[in-house]
Amino acid sequence: MGIRQVANTEAPALTAAVDVRDLWMAYRPDEWVLKGVNLRVPKGQLWVVMGPSGAGKTTLMKVLAGLLPFQRGTVEVMGFRLRGDLTPPSRRVVGYIPQQLGLVRGLTALENVLLGSLARHGGLGPTLGFFPRSEVTRAREYLEMLGLGDKAETRVFQLSGGERQRVAIARTLMQDPKLILADEFVSDLDLPRAARILETIRGLVRERGLTLVMNLHEIQLVQELADHVVVLKDGKIVYHGPAGTLEWSSFRALVEAEDGRTGVAGW
Ligand SMILES: Nc1ncnc2c1ncn2[C@@H]1O[C@H](COP(=O)(O)OP(=O)(O)OP(=O)(O)O)[C@@H](O)[C@H]1O
Ligand SMILES: [Mg+2]
């Protein structure tokens, strides 16, 4: 059986965490980076976006996070209609982990994680660095859960790439978001550790009914952990289907770059 080429033919889910219709986005006039993307992610699922470098994965994530304008189409995220004018959805609802992580290098791991709780707290206390004890405890628990208990007091610039990625995950979990958008957030971790972290996160996704949309290159992890895979190539969705039933041999061509390099690990 070959690969299904899919337009947005799925029956509509009752509730979607992400509902994108005919999305077009260009950084410069008429240079389209996203070319009519349709994407409907049901609540409570873990979806992976794959595709070669430059396909538009980060661009799509940023549009969903409300951080990039778009020119055409409709984008709804957790019931919030984005207007394409950089009004992001509430951070209480959508947590975004950028490819560059966005950590404050001079603060400790714990302080960075606590910054995630700012989304949930008003008042001056947190901005002055006074967090409720319960928040500090929760922040420590997330660091512990992600294997960073002993790094809480270490400043971010002294952490490895994989450790920083885990700090960024903990910070996002502190927001208590309903939807997490994660851009290559375990790419600096070795495979066994990435698998452990993703299993932990999947546990949270299931337990709390969250939705996770992420970019991920490692095929084994996608097969083991994702519900659904979407392949973006040259700004278009060229495939989507359940992760468990993918035929990887024919799938490979879809995620390969034109020059033959693949953005996918584990072939
Ligand atoms: N700020 C920008 N201004 C202009 N063009 C951009 C900008 N950011 C990205 N692009 C272009 O848009 C296209 C898609 O980039 P994007 O970062 O979304 O790709 P990607 O799929 O995330 O790639 P990677 O796997 O390397 O992270 C690329 O051609 C890139 O050069
Ligand atoms: Mg990217």
Side-chain angles (χ1 to χ4, degrees):
M1 222 170 50
I3 289 294
R4 282 191 296 145
Q5 299 277 329
V6 182
N8 199 29
T9 52
E10 272 188 327
L14 281 180
T15 45
V18 170
D19 192 353
V20 172
R21 288 167 201 224
D22 196 27
L23 168 64
W24 290 73
M25 190 280 171
Y27 291 96
R28 285 181 289 269
D30 292 329
E31 289 183 24
W32 298 108
V33 171
L34 298 178
K35 305 170 182 172
V37 170
N38 290 293
L39 182 66
R40 193 178 170 95
V41 181
K43 283 184 184 164
Q45 293 201 352
L46 196 161
W47 280 42
V48 167
V49 179
M50 302 182 90
S53 182
K57 304 182 296 295
T58 294
T59 304
L60 177 60
M61 287 282 182
K62 284 187 178 166
V63 167
L64 295 180
L67 300 172
L68 274 181
F70 56 91
Q71 287 77 19
R72 275 161 57 184
T74 59
V75 180
E76 247 181 60
V77 177
M78 299 304 294
F80 183 90
R81 175 79 171 264
L82 299 184
R83 298 199 309 256
D85 64 353
L86 305 187
T87 310
S90 159
R91 284 204 295 144
R92 290 168 197 238
V93 178
V94 179
Y96 172 60
I97 306 179
Q99 201 163 358
Q100 271 78 33
L101 301 180
L103 298 173
V104 184
R105 289 169 48 83
L107 295 182
T108 66
L110 181 64
E111 287 162 342
N112 269 279
V113 175
L114 281 165
L115 289 179
S117 76
L118 288 181
R120 289 185 294 111
H121 290 281
L124 208 54
T127 51
L128 295 175
F130 301 114
F131 290 91
R133 188 185 293 264
S134 58
E135 291 294 279
V136 178
T137 304
R138 231 161 60 88
R140 284 191 188 281
E141 281 169 2
Y142 280 132
L143 285 171
E144 194 77 47
M145 193 174 88
L146 297 169
L148 285 179
D150 58 340
K151 301 282 185 184
E153 321 300 340
T154 305
R155 290 184 192 282
V156 160
F157 70 81
Q158 292 165 324
L159 296 176
S160 73
E163 289 167 346
R164 289 176 197 189
Q165 289 183 327
R166 283 178 280 159
V167 173
I169 295 167
R171 181 194 54 191
T172 302
L173 292 174
M174 279 297 282
Q175 289 174 225
D176 262 345
K178 300 280 176 276
L179 167 69
I180 300 176
L181 303 166
D183 197 353
E184 317 260 352
F185 70 142
V186 292
S187 55
D188 283 347
L189 294 165
D190 56 74
L191 204 59
R193 198 183 287 275
R196 276 205 301 282
I197 299 296
L198 285 175
E199 257 166 53
T200 304
I201 292 169
R202 191 176 63 161
L204 286 177
V205 166
R206 298 283 189 251
E207 187 185 305
R208 300 182 186 176
L210 310 181
T211 309
L212 175 60
V213 179
M214 63 178 172
N215 296 338
L216 186 61
H217 290 297
E218 289 75 15
I219 288 244
Q220 295 99 309
L221 298 181
V222 175
Q223 273 177 313
E224 279 168 35
L225 295 164
D227 293 311
H228 207 87
V229 182
V230 168
V231 178
L232 195 63
K233 195 163 184 177
D234 190 24
K236 295 182 198 130
I237 291 185
V238 293
Y239 174 86
H240 76 74
T245 58
L246 279 174
E247 284 183 54
W248 294 101
S249 52
S250 33
F251 185 67
R252 177 177 184 172
L254 285 177
V255 287
E256 258 178 356
E258 299 302 323
D259 60 8
R261 279 182 305 118
T262 169
V264 178
W267 295 107

